[in-house]
Amino acid sequence: MSDRLHQIVDLLVAAVIAGTSTFIWSFVLPTGLALTLAGMFAAMYYFSRNPWGSPRGEAYNEWIDDLYDRFLP
């Protein structure tokens, strides 16, 4: 059950990334392009759990897992 909850939280975080990215990018780009970029950012987070393609992906993943374990049942 814990892994399922972590996956749901990952999905919610990806949705927040998509929403805020769309909002910010829509100030300088056409709406369609802003949505595309935001979707790419959210997918990068959700599918790899390696935020923004950093070479320290394992460290980020460990930090995220520790955060989830601290606050989620």
Side-chain angles (χ1 to χ4, degrees):
M1 181 66 173
S2 179
D3 289 338
R4 204 173 281 190
L5 183 59
H6 288 193
Q7 188 175 11
I8 290 170
V9 173
D10 281 340
L11 185 60
L12 291 174
V13 170
V16 168
I17 290 170
T20 56
S21 296
T22 300
F23 178 74
I24 292 169
W25 281 112
S26 66
F27 287 113
V28 294
L29 296 172
T31 305
L33 186 55
L35 284 168
T36 300
L37 285 175
M40 287 173 33
F41 290 146
M44 282 174 30
Y45 176 81
Y46 180 75
F47 288 115
S48 69
R49 292 228 8 234
N50 185 4
W52 319 122
S54 170
R56 294 181 31 208
E58 288 300 318
Y60 281 123
N61 286 339
E62 289 297 321
W63 181 79
I64 292 168
D65 287 335
D66 290 341
L67 187 69
Y68 285 178
D69 289 337
R70 188 178 319 147
F71 292 106
L72 299 174

